[in-house]
Amino acid sequence: MSWQGIMDFKKRAQFVLVHALFVVCITANYGVCELKANKSATLSVDASSQSGRKIPDTLFGIFFEEINHAGAGGIWAELVSNRGFEAGGQNTPSDFSPWTIIGDETTVSVGTDRTSPFKRNPVALRVQSNCDADACPSTGVGVYNPGYWGMNLENGKGYKLIFHIKSLDSVDISVSLTNSDGSQTLATNNIVASASDVSDWTKVQFEFVPTGSATGGRLQFITRRKGVFWLDQVSLMPMDTYMGHGFRKDLLSMVADLKPRFLRFPGGCYVEGERLWNAFRWTAAVGPWEERPGHFGDVWNYWSDDGLGYFEFLQLAEDLGAAPVWVINNGVSHQDSVNTANIASWVKDALDSIEFARGSADSTWGSVRASMGHPEPFTLKYMAIGNEDCGKNYYTGNYLKFYSAIKNAYPDMNIITNCNALGTTLDHPADYYDFHTYTTASSMFSQKNVFNSAKRSGPKAFVSEYAVWQSDAGKGSLLASLAEAAFLIGLETNSDVVEMASYAPLFVNDNDRRWNPDAIVFNSSHVYGTPSYWMQQYFRESGGAILNPATIQSDSSSLAASAITWKSPDNLECLKIKIVNFGSDAVNLTISMSGLTNSIDTPNSFTTVLTSSNVMDENSFSNPTKVVPVQTPLTNANSQMHAVIQPHSITSFDMALAQTSYAADM
């Protein structure tokens, strides 16, 4: 990041300095640190241009899976849950939750039927008011939708409402945004129409601007007139979304701050499905949102209306400046598999998905993309054939069919196999092999060396899912982040054979924790990063940087370190040294840097430390900055430094160099 960005982050972090129970001591020319350390170590860094090796541009990115309501009720900003009334299935009557009746069984009758104008979404909601103005409750009767554990409605912000309505009678309906129990109206609009105006399905849309705020708000339709009306495809979206493309702004800003180089989507198990009939199907998740049937994600057990579909993922990757990595279903789910002899239509479906992304605006599927507002092709060069399917029935046979057809049509496409090639030889061609690891903190720390012995030729590794989990991780512990940081240092060191890596899972809605831990935690109105999220910020400059040889000599086995040279957006040459101390003892570290062609620009150099008083400390909504990086100026820095590296910490030294005199291949 630019040094202005560093200063901005410094300002955000300064207020937690009083909570940081550490001291980093830096002196020049072997000065004396007052804090005594139990261990000692020497870190030698060769920063000469001839010794460096370019890190792949794609090394660190993000993996998004529709899990934990990460998309529906998460990054996709749609506030209405079950907006098309399809979540209860297409047989009627059906459960229309979380829509809820306003009134009682004597005053209103509500149910579903198949009168919708949308062929792929036949279910609509029928609301029958059994009372007139004199007999109805003063609050009226009807239905409300609470969204995903409450709608976050903000005073003065704009919200776009779209819905479809039909009635055989004249209507007088109040459509409102309210607080959680409906007692406070934040915005309202009346729909008054004669029977002839709404005898056929009619699309209605307008903008709400609340005059108050509610984190647990709701959308409601109420009437005090006797009669029947139908609703379908009801959408309420904030007007202010990330890049104007429908994504929740605060959540995507957290992602953008990681500067991801790729986006793997739409999931892992979510792609497979427990059964194939519930797997994600991209053709059902493009085109007008009203026509998307949605589906039940039977691995993580909730409904998605698929407003966040294939097109939106491609758009998000473009908005983030990240390479899209499209994970496709290869005819294999958790419970069933398509015989290779019958896989041809699935292969064609994959080819069609590429045409949607890359085809010209006048091609069959490219024209669908163009009709959605993106006439220019997306850049799609990475595809994973399945997720964790190696060894399942028909995987290899199916994979070869996909590989051959895709490579024949798109020779530049990078194909990723589910089969791990670390320590073995694949029996099929691939550009990348997928490597997943969920393990304990100690095991993850030791895995910093796992790729040291990897073959230096053949397909590259894509570490698409890694995390410390279970008891070591809690809901996101400092301990987990330390081990993961050491692992990523190992990936940097072995970036000649590892070209891509991403943490998993990325998001969790605190109301639906299907998996712990996760990088980013949110509810309807708030968000915070776990230590594992903040850990990843130490690596956001790594992609495309120069890896400098860094060697540790120590009587402690708890250290991991790396060094990179990179250029900031304003073309400032920078040297970044990262040290992880996984142990419980402080380490007196001597840093020796050789090959520097320019002096260190001390006023623009900083130390950043992530640590806490307890290795199992976590962040929370009540204390979101308990474990965050804290930045302080790096004073008197030169080629010889001393530092005390605190126990259970990640420390980086970000040093600006005075001039940009050599032209390294950045």
Side-chain angles (χ1 to χ4, degrees):
M1 65 179 173
S2 69
W3 290 109
Q4 182 59 49
I6 290 176
M7 291 300 293
D8 290 343
F9 177 78
K10 177 186 175 185
K11 291 176 182 177
R12 295 197 304 271
Q14 279 178 336
F15 75 98
V16 299
L17 281 170
V18 294
H19 300 293
L21 302 179
F22 66 91
V23 177
V24 174
C25 177
I26 302 292
T27 60
N29 300 318
Y30 293 91
V32 177
C33 294
E34 293 182 359
L35 180 63
K36 295 182 179 179
N38 297 328
K39 303 286 185 179
S40 62
T42 299
L43 175 63
S44 300
V45 176
D46 183 353
S48 61
S49 58
Q50 63 271 20
S51 66
R53 170 172 56 79
K54 188 175 185 292
I55 294 172
D57 292 333
T58 55
L59 184 57
F60 295 121
I62 54 172
F63 164 46
F64 179 90
E65 177 160 12
E66 180 60 280
I67 181 178
N68 306 319
H69 272 87
I75 68 169
W76 190 239
E78 174 63 65
L79 294 176
V80 176
S81 177
N82 190 18
R83 68 184 179 188
F85 308 102
E86 309 293 327
Q90 295 196 350
N91 294 319
T92 58
S94 59
D95 181 11
F96 49 84
S97 298
W99 290 88
T100 302
I101 296 170
I102 300 173
D104 58 36
E105 61 184 12
T106 65
T107 57
V108 64
S109 302
V110 181
T112 55
D113 61 24
R114 294 170 61 88
T115 61
S116 172
F118 303 106
K119 292 181 179 179
R120 299 172 83 182
N121 303 305
V123 179
L125 189 73
R126 181 182 185 273
V127 181
Q128 178 176 322
S129 170
N130 299 321
C131 58
D132 55 26
D134 295 330
C136 278
S138 60
T139 55
V141 298
V143 292
Y144 73 85
N145 187 289
Y148 298 91
W149 300 281
M151 297 179 178
N152 184 43
L153 305 173
E154 297 183 68
N155 182 32
K157 296 292 183 68
Y159 297 85
K160 185 177 183 180
L161 176 68
I162 300 175
F163 63 94
H164 299 75
I165 188 169
K166 183 181 80 166
S167 178
L168 302 181
D169 309 298
S170 61
V171 296
D172 185 352
I173 300 170
S174 175
V175 187
S176 305
L177 301 181
T178 76
N179 63 349
S180 60
D181 62 5
S183 62
Q184 180 185 2
T185 299
L186 306 177
T188 190
N189 203 329
N190 289 333
I191 306 300
V192 180
S194 65
S196 60
D197 290 334
V198 290
S199 59
D200 291 325
W201 282 99
T202 303
K203 183 177 181 179
V204 179
Q205 63 182 51
F206 50 80
E207 181 181 344
F208 279 129
V209 180
T211 56
S213 297
T215 59
R218 71 191 203 188
L219 167 69
Q220 62 183 31
F221 294 78
I222 58 174
T223 185
R224 299 185 70 227
R225 177 175 293 183
K226 195 170 186 176
V228 178
F229 64 89
W230 285 262
L231 294 172
D232 199 13
Q233 296 301 332
V234 183
S235 170
L236 181 68
M237 290 281 282
M239 300 288 285
D240 185 18
T241 61
Y242 186 76
M243 303 288 282
H245 290 138
F247 294 94
R248 186 170 148 180
K249 205 168 185 179
D250 57 343
L251 301 188
L252 263 297
S253 295
M254 294 278 288
V255 173
D257 282 347
L258 293 177
K259 299 184 179 179
R261 297 305 184 95
F262 65 83
L263 167 63
R264 179 181 181 239
F265 68 88
C269 298
Y270 179 75
V271 171
E272 301 162 283
E274 196 67 23
R275 306 304 298 259
L276 282 173
W277 58 73
N278 286 326
F280 176 82
R281 302 300 178 93
W282 75 269
T283 54
V286 296
W289 60 267
E290 297 98 331
E291 296 285 359
R292 301 184 191 185
H295 77 288
F296 181 69
D298 60 356
V299 176
W300 307 119
N301 293 310
Y302 60 88
W303 175 262
S304 171
D305 61 30
D306 287 335
L308 176 55
Y310 181 44
F311 174 88
E312 287 74 22
F313 281 116
L314 290 168
Q315 182 66 70
L316 177 58
E318 183 176 89
D319 289 346
L320 292 170
V325 181
W326 170 218
V327 185
I328 63 170
N329 189 295
N330 64 102
V332 177
S333 77
H334 287 183
Q335 299 295 331
D336 46 7
S337 303
V338 176
N339 190 302
T340 301
N342 302 327
I343 202 65
S345 61
W346 294 73
V347 173
K348 182 180 183 304
D349 187 69
L351 293 172
D352 288 345
S353 76
I354 304 173
E355 182 179 275
F356 178 91
R358 294 177 43 162
S360 66
D362 58 2
S363 64
T364 300
W365 283 104
S367 65
V368 177
R369 181 199 69 241
S371 71
M372 298 178 70
H374 202 289
E376 294 302 316
F378 289 106
T379 302
L380 176 64
K381 293 186 178 181
Y382 298 90
M383 291 182 71
I385 311 302
N387 172 76
E388 296 180 345
D389 293 330
C390 188
K392 293 180 181 177
N393 288 341
Y394 307 117
Y395 177 74
T396 301
N398 290 1
Y399 172 90
L400 289 170
K401 293 289 187 180
F402 282 94
Y403 182 91
S404 176
I406 294 171
K407 282 290 190 180
N408 183 60
Y410 302 95
D412 64 333
M413 188 67 71
N414 293 284
I415 305 297
I416 305 161
T417 176
N418 291 178
C419 298
N420 179 21
L422 182 62
T424 187
T425 301
L426 292 176
D427 62 358
H428 54 268
D431 298 297
Y432 294 86
Y433 64 91
D434 208 352
F435 181 93
H436 294 184
T437 179
Y438 296 99
T439 187
T440 64
S442 59
S443 176
M444 182 69 77
F445 182 81
S446 67
Q447 285 187 30
K448 68 184 186 297
N449 299 318
V450 71
F451 287 98
N452 288 4
S453 58
K455 289 187 293 186
R456 285 6 233 185
S457 60
K460 305 295 185 180
F462 180 11
V463 183
S464 67
E465 299 182 34
Y466 73 86
V468 173
W469 72 322
Q470 295 185 334
S471 60
D472 282 353
K475 292 183 178 180
S477 68
L478 172 64
L479 178 65
S481 70
L482 299 175
E484 291 155 359
F487 177 65
L488 295 194
I489 282 175
L491 299 189
E492 278 186 332
T493 304
N494 289 285
S495 56
D496 57 325
V497 293
V498 181
E499 289 201 356
M500 307 171 86
S502 49
Y503 179 92
L506 181 61
F507 282 108
V508 59
N509 187 315
D510 194 49
N511 296 285
D512 186 36
R513 284 183 175 269
R514 304 279 170 165
W515 186 282
N516 284 313
D518 310 271
I520 300 171
V521 184
F522 65 92
N523 56 25
S524 68
S525 56
H526 291 81
V527 59
Y528 68 86
T530 64
S532 292
Y533 167 82
W534 294 109
M535 173 277 299
Q536 292 177 68
Q537 291 211 357
Y538 282 80
F539 296 86
R540 57 187 177 181
E541 294 89 13
S542 295
I546 299 300
L547 179 70
N548 305 120
T551 305
I552 295 178
Q553 293 180 331
S554 176
D555 56 1
S556 171
S557 60
S558 66
L559 300 181
S562 68
I564 62 169
T565 304
W566 61 286
K567 284 187 178 179
S568 66
D570 51 6
N571 208 38
L572 188 65
E573 187 181 348
C574 312
L575 175 65
K576 186 185 193 81
I577 298 174
K578 298 186 290 287
I579 303 102
V580 175
N581 184 359
F582 190 63
S584 56
D585 295 317
V587 175
N588 188 18
L589 181 68
T590 299
I591 303 173
S592 176
M593 291 170 279
S594 62
L596 288 173
T597 56
N598 302 294
S599 61
I600 297 171
D601 183 7
T602 300
N604 284 317
S605 299
F606 302 90
T607 302
T608 307
V609 180
L610 179 68
T611 191
S612 191
S613 58
N614 188 307
V615 76
M616 294 306 296
D617 278 350
E618 303 175 356
N619 294 330
S620 62
F621 287 117
S622 61
N623 193 352
T625 57
K626 184 174 185 178
V627 189
V628 297
V630 176
Q631 211 163 57
T632 55
L634 178 57
T635 59
N636 300 320
N638 59 33
S639 61
Q640 298 287 338
M641 301 191 306
H642 274 183
V644 173
I645 307 300
Q646 292 305 296
H648 301 139
S649 67
I650 308 170
T651 301
S652 72
F653 303 108
D654 294 275
M655 293 169 278
L657 302 183
Q659 300 176 23
T660 55
S661 61
Y662 73 85
D665 180 15
M666 301 301 286

